[in-house]
Amino acid sequence: RARQLGKQVTSPEGPLRILDDVGMEVRPGESVAIVGTSGAGKSTLLGLLAGLDEPSEGRVWLAGREVTALDEDGRAALRAENVGFVFQSFHLIASLTALENVMLPLELSGADNPQDAALEAIRTVGLEPRKAHYPHQLSGGEKQRVAIARAFVVQPEVLFADEPTGNLDQRTGEKIVELLLNLNREFGTTLVLVTHDLELASRCNRILFMEAGRIEREEETGAS
């Protein structure tokens, strides 16, 4: 949930307002797409909702806690417990296998039996035969499946996805979106997805349309 959210940065031309008075709410278990042209503020909004960045003004709540009232360590702890994040460029560690990439957040949090949970996550995204492969041995779609498994292995309440199909061909991108929506449906994980693709966005429960740093309108899709 966000209230009166704003973000301003300094540019060579002077102050630049990226977000302006944004208010929104996402219900538990809902899938929501945020769409808009390049520069509309979509990725900035996602970063603020996930506690990856701080707003210039306004407040954000995540999993029942006010993110904007926490310091950097507090935000990191909240993310570790409640948030999964999938990026356009995968962000896999090149020196780790697919399985080791998925195990990493579990190992960092001191979880018991990280390999068992990571194996289950790898199976869930259909990549068990590729678990010992390194990122350079995987296709773009396979890399994104590993990234989704890594985000999902901590069983987050909310999964944020920033243009997760941006580096993929259409057919592969459709499979990735289907995978994200299946995780949303099967496990009740709240999904907040940034995309420029209206067809993909229409498969979510609701679409928020952004323009020039503001949410101009929203639309229920009827998708289930």
Side-chain angles (χ1 to χ4, degrees):
R1 183 161 54 100
R3 291 289 177 268
Q4 297 176 312
L5 209 55
K7 182 68 176 179
Q8 184 169 297
V9 297
T10 303
S11 73
E13 292 77 34
L16 177 65
R17 181 155 283 276
I18 302 174
L19 288 182
D20 185 22
D21 193 26
V22 171
M24 60 173 290
E25 188 164 341
V26 181
R27 296 180 288 273
E30 190 178 21
S31 58
V32 173
I34 302 171
V35 303
T37 57
S38 179
K42 305 183 300 294
S43 293
T44 299
L45 174 58
L46 209 66
L48 295 178
L49 294 175
L52 293 170
D53 193 11
E54 293 184 83
S56 302
E57 60 264 339
R59 302 165 75 188
V60 175
W61 292 263
L62 177 65
R65 296 183 64 190
E66 187 182 344
V67 182
T68 37
L70 301 172
D71 61 14
E72 192 169 336
D73 288 345
R75 292 197 305 274
L78 185 63
R79 284 197 305 273
E81 291 173 16
N82 300 283
V83 172
F85 218 113
V86 178
F87 299 91
Q88 178 176 342
S89 52
F90 319 131
H91 288 308
L92 300 180
I93 296 176
S95 60
L96 299 181
T97 65
L99 181 62
E100 289 165 345
N101 265 284
V102 177
M103 286 170 61
L104 188 60
L106 296 170
E107 291 176 323
L108 291 173
S109 67
D112 294 331
N113 301 319
Q115 184 166 326
D116 291 349
L119 266 173
E120 185 57 36
I122 285 276
R123 287 191 195 106
T124 299
V125 301
L127 266 190
E128 189 175 9
R130 312 284 276 171
K131 65 179 185 286
H133 287 63
Y134 291 89
H136 74 273
Q137 298 171 312
L138 301 173
S139 69
E142 287 170 339
K143 289 177 188 174
Q144 195 60 295
R145 284 172 180 265
V146 174
I148 290 169
R150 182 183 58 188
F152 189 71
V153 74
V154 296
Q155 298 182 329
E157 286 193 44
V158 186
L159 190 58
F160 292 101
D162 191 1
E163 295 281 9
T165 64
N167 282 334
L168 306 173
D169 62 75
Q170 184 176 356
R171 185 163 166 267
T172 306
E174 286 172 359
K175 289 181 178 177
I176 291 299
V177 167
E178 187 60 39
L179 176 58
L180 287 168
L181 290 170
N182 279 342
L183 293 173
N184 161 254
R185 286 189 291 261
E186 288 181 33
F187 298 94
T189 306
T190 305
L191 176 63
V192 183
L193 168 74
V194 160
T195 182
H196 62 276
D197 189 326
L198 263 178
E199 189 175 335
L200 296 182
S202 68
R203 301 181 65 186
C204 294
N205 302 139
R206 193 156 48 103
I207 306 175
L208 306 180
F209 294 88
M210 285 196 77
E211 190 176 321
R214 300 180 72 106
I215 294 175
E216 294 296 338
R217 63 189 176 92
E218 65 175 83
E219 188 177 290
E220 301 272 352
T221 66
S224 57

